[in-house]
Structures are given as C-alpha cells and as structure tokens.
Amino acid sequence: MKLEINGEMRELDAEPEMPLLWALRDVLGMTGTKYGCGIAQCGACSVLVDGVVTRSCVTPVGSLEGSKVSTIEAMEEDAVGQKVVAAWVKHQVPQCGYCQSGQVMAAVSLLKENAAPSAEDVRASMQNLCRCGTYNAIHAALSDLAGQENA
C-alpha cells in the first residue's frame, strides 16, 4: 500500500488494519511519534492527517489511502511547525519530553485552523496528556504565538 507521509509517497508492507503508529515506527523507522496509551486518550501518538490532528494508535493505515500524513519529523520544514517549536524552546515547555511530539502536532493543527486562538480555543483544542504537567508552559507558548498579552 502507498501512503503520502511528510510529502513523500511511501510504500508500506503492512496489513490494512495495522495502526498508523506501528506502520510509522516499525515499518518506516520513524520513531518521533510516540506510543502512550494505545486507546487514543493521551495524544502522544498524534499526527496530522489532511491537516487534522489524529491519534495514530487507533487509525488503521488502510483507511488513509489518498490522505496526507504529517509527522513530527516534518515540522522542521513546516512554517507553523517551526514557530511552534521555537515557542516551545522559548517557554521551556518540555520536561521529560515524551509527549511533546504529540503536543507540538496538536498545536500545529490548532494554529493552522486558527492563527489567533483565544485562551478558550487553546483549552478546548489542547487535550493531550502530559505526565510532567507542562500545561501552563504549553498555554504560555500558544498565547505568545497567538499574540495574546500576558503570554
């Protein structure tokens, strides 16, 4: 099966029901997307599918033909991704860092949909879990990117 991943057509030798997460990590060797809970609750596995944040641990690769998948590996080439990563560094968001690839992907999705999200928009959109509790830093980084005062 062929999938467009990070702007490149990739040939996958995988069963259609294989979760995208495992196709990325085990078949393609792209380990930036993390396994967290396996039941689409934590968001560590978040990627973008056609620009929409998607939990890759429960998304079968067979359902993605014709879709464009973006992973954390592509964010260095993405204008919004670059800004998010810079804000993450500026606000010292990561602690252990495990969930941060998923957090960044959720933030990129939000900012591509709404370049100036309100605090309420951020709270509603940023639903990924962080065991280190970096939520205040994440919100500060997003407030800064949205041009809000008191970032």
Side-chain angles (χ1 to χ4, degrees), residues 32-37 42-46 55 98-99 101-102 128-129:
T33 304
K34 305 297 183 199
Y35 173 81
C37 65
C42 73
C45 68
S46 295
R55 308 290 204 214
Y98 194 82
C99 70
S101 62
N128 291 13
L129 299 178

Side-chain angles (χ1 to χ4, degrees), residues 43-66:
C45 68
S46 295
V47 298
L48 302 182
V49 175
D50 295 328
V52 177
V53 69
T54 303
R55 308 290 204 214
S56 66
C57 70
V58 295
T59 304
V61 293
S63 70
L64 298 173
E65 289 197 66

Side-chain angles (χ1 to χ4, degrees), residues 5-103:
I5 301 173
N6 298 334
E8 181 182 333
M9 288 305 291
R10 304 291 298 260
E11 183 70 36
L12 283 176
D13 184 19
E15 295 297 320
E17 62 275 358
M18 175 185 269
L20 174 60
L21 173 65
W22 300 122
L24 292 170
R25 291 183 62 81
D26 294 347
V27 177
L28 298 175
M30 300 172 72
T31 57
T33 304
K34 305 297 183 199
Y35 173 81
C37 65
I39 57 172
Q41 297 298 305
C42 73
C45 68
S46 295
V47 298
L48 302 182
V49 175
D50 295 328
V52 177
V53 69
T54 303
R55 308 290 204 214
S56 66
C57 70
V58 295
T59 304
V61 293
S63 70
L64 298 173
E65 289 197 66
S67 298
K68 295 179 180 184
V69 177
S70 298
T71 69
I72 191 68
E73 286 88 352
M75 291 304 101
E76 66 186 26
E77 303 298 325
D78 183 278
V80 176
Q82 291 171 353
K83 290 176 184 177
V84 169
V85 170
W88 254 231
V89 171
K90 176 181 174 183
H91 290 275
Q92 300 178 12
V93 173
Q95 285 185 29
C96 84
Y98 194 82
C99 70
Q100 293 305 314
S101 62
Q103 299 281 6

Side-chain angles (χ1 to χ4, degrees), residues 104-122:
V104 167
M105 298 308 289
V108 168
S109 178
L110 168 63
L111 292 169
K112 285 186 175 201
E113 183 180 313
N114 180 356
S118 67
E120 288 179 19
D121 294 332
V122 170

